[in-house]
Amino acid sequence: MDATIVEVNTRILDIPTIRPHKMSVATMHCQSIVLVRIKTSDGIEGIGEATTIGGLNYGGESPESIKTNIDSYFAPLIIGQSATKLAALRKLINKTIKDNRFAKCAIETALYDAYAKRLGVPLNALFGGVVANEIGVAWTLASGDTQKDIAEAEQMLETRRHNIFKLKIGMRSPKDDIKHIAAIRKAVGDDVSIRVDINQGWSETQTVQNLRALADVGVELVEQPIHEKNLAGMQRLTALGIVPIMADESLKGPEDGFTLASQHCANVFAIKIEQAGGLQHARDLIGIAQAADIALYGGTMLEGSIATIAAAHLFSTLNNLEWGTELFGPLLLKDEILATPLDYSDFTLKIPTGPGLGISLDDDKVSFYTRK
Ligand code: MUC
Ligand code: MG
């Protein structure tokens, strides 16, 4: 039952967002998805995806660099190799190609999809099988306008799509941000979970000055308030114990996870399959968090349906996803490229049960959104 890799195909799809998505690092009007399709000698196709946030606004890889690097370096390296020896392929790729975690994630996802399809099992079976058939999903309020955010939150609650909200702050003054959060808290009531993501937008001093005010307006979790490299600052903010601190941009794989855990730099880890460099490295990072009693949150790089459901498969195998997930990426896009859209209902995302990722592409939509 061995099969070899015969083709690696990449393309970029540009899909508009339903509204501008405003963060302290970037405002997004469109998401660019690098779609990777890997064909194997037994006629199976695996799919993977990479996205970034705002081109190069968030990190060192862009959709264009991901596509070029896969075409020029990954494809020639893996074509002709066994598609069934995933660990050996990971070893070969990591030995030959430094960094490029997002590209590695897209390739690894396609390989896992093909492998699980070949075995006739859902992808989560390769990580031990599901603990939860559905996982909670937060929505990010980031229209840039308080009243629009309130209307959006109310609609999400009414339609039972989301009851956890992450607010993007750090663009306005901290004082105006607190007013913004307080207005949303007043509108949605006390039973709804509100978290904030500052995307490194504050200094350590600003954060020290404002953590108490965030706690007072009912913020339950503060994500990456300060620069990703200021780990001593993250450690000091965590030690204050005012609101749990979540590491996001500081976490780029298991080695960072070990440093942050051993130095007590966060209460919660945002686990992102792309930032970790793929599903297996994300699982390694999760193990470090679990051993250190750091709580888990399933993060997103605002991916489309493919990477979103890949991450969901992995997160569905965890027995302690304490802070839920933010796997809402496909819902931020104006259109869907799957033949059957993912099932978001009753505040959760349902885990597909078919082989591999358990999804299939709508080829017409893929052609329509492909960058010419
Ligand atoms: C981030 O920094 O967490 C995740 C959700 C969202 O709205 O932005 C991303 C990036
Ligand atoms: Mg974040």
Side-chain angles (χ1 to χ4, degrees):
M1 69 145 213
D2 201 14
T4 52
I5 297 168
V6 293
E7 191 185 309
V8 179
N9 178 277
T10 61
R11 58 175 79 204
I12 298 177
L13 314 180
D14 295 306
I15 308 183
T17 57
I18 53 172
R19 56 151 168 76
H21 197 62
K22 296 195 176 176
M23 297 159 275
S24 66
V25 275
T27 298
M28 288 172 58
H29 300 272
C30 166
Q31 181 56 300
S32 299
I33 290 172
V34 185
L35 171 64
V36 178
R37 308 171 95 142
I38 295 184
K39 288 203 174 108
T40 58
S41 54
D42 54 355
I44 290 177
E45 180 182 80
I47 54 176
E49 173 193 345
T51 58
T52 74
I53 291 181
L56 283 170
N57 273 306
Y58 204 91
E61 285 174 87
S62 68
E64 296 76 16
S65 79
I66 293 167
K67 181 176 174 1
T68 300
N69 288 340
I70 291 178
D71 294 348
S72 308
Y73 294 94
F74 288 79
L77 183 68
I78 65 173
I79 287 172
Q81 299 288 333
S82 165
T84 61
K85 299 188 174 70
L86 295 191
L89 274 168
R90 197 177 304 114
K91 182 179 172 195
L92 176 71
I93 290 171
N94 285 328
K95 181 169 165 268
T96 318
I97 300 173
K98 302 292 165 218
D99 301 327
N100 289 281
R101 300 182 317 279
F102 291 23
K104 284 176 181 170
C105 181
I107 291 280
E108 197 202 40
T109 301
L111 291 169
Y112 267 113
D113 182 35
Y115 189 51
K117 278 176 179 156
R118 183 172 300 105
L119 297 176
V121 298
L123 194 150
N124 57 63
L126 304 178
F127 290 92
V130 289
V131 172
N133 293 311
E134 47 189 45
I135 49 181
V137 181
W139 177 255
T140 298
L141 298 171
S143 73
D145 177 277
T146 307
Q147 292 314 313
K148 278 190 193 153
D149 281 358
I150 290 174
E152 206 171 276
E154 284 171 343
Q155 192 206 345
M156 298 301 174
L157 290 165
E158 263 164 45
T159 53
R160 297 181 62 77
R161 239 189 44 192
H162 308 276
N163 55 4
I164 304 170
F165 297 104
K166 160 159 144 175
L167 278 48
K168 288 285 187 180
I169 63 169
M171 287 87 73
R172 309 174 180 89
S173 70
K175 217 170 151 199
D176 287 343
D177 272 337
I178 307 286
K179 280 192 207 150
H180 168 74
I181 302 162
I184 295 176
R185 164 62 73 208
K186 189 158 177 258
V188 299
D190 290 337
D191 293 340
V192 165
S193 174
I194 292 184
R195 298 104 184 250
V196 295
D197 189 357
I198 304 171
N199 284 118
Q200 316 178 62
W202 286 358
S203 66
E204 186 180 346
T205 313
Q206 280 177 313
T207 313
V208 169
Q209 284 173 320
N210 289 288
L211 272 184
R212 175 62 58 199
L214 291 177
D216 289 347
V217 292
V219 169
E220 293 181 349
L221 185 63
V222 174
E223 180 173 344
Q224 197 71 52
I226 60 173
H227 194 278
E228 60 183 81
K229 299 266 189 235
N230 186 3
L231 297 187
M234 290 287 279
Q235 182 191 54
R236 288 186 286 268
L237 295 171
T238 304
L240 289 175
I242 298 172
V243 188
I245 302 292
M246 178 155 77
D248 181 10
E249 287 93 321
S250 295
L251 268 181
K252 297 193 170 69
E255 293 83 3
D256 285 346
F258 180 73
T259 305
L260 267 73
S262 54
Q263 296 177 20
H264 309 284
C265 299
N267 305 102
V268 185
F269 279 1
I271 308 292
K272 298 185 172 180
I273 61 169
E274 289 198 77
Q275 286 283 32
L279 290 157
Q280 181 58 54
H281 281 151
R283 188 63 190 86
D284 295 343
L285 174 59
I286 288 165
I288 291 166
Q290 288 171 323
D293 198 16
I294 289 172
L296 296 170
Y297 177 68
T300 179
M301 287 301 294
L302 299 174
E303 290 120 341
S305 298
I306 303 160
T308 293
I309 211 62
H313 273 283
L314 177 65
F315 299 152
S316 74
T317 67
L318 304 178
N319 57 9
N320 56 349
L321 196 56
E322 203 177 313
W323 291 86
T325 78
E326 57 182 14
L327 292 178
F328 69 89
L331 303 169
L332 188 64
L333 304 180
K334 262 201 182 132
D335 208 351
E336 178 54 73
I337 56 162
L338 297 187
T340 308
L342 302 181
D343 182 356
Y344 288 95
S345 51
D346 272 328
F347 306 116
T348 58
L349 168 61
K350 314 293 184 260
I351 310 300
T353 52
L357 290 167
I359 54 174
S360 56
L361 296 170
D362 176 330
D363 289 326
D364 292 337
K365 291 278 181 66
V366 169
S367 300
F368 182 78
Y369 288 108
T370 296
R371 191 182 290 181
K372 301 295 178 290

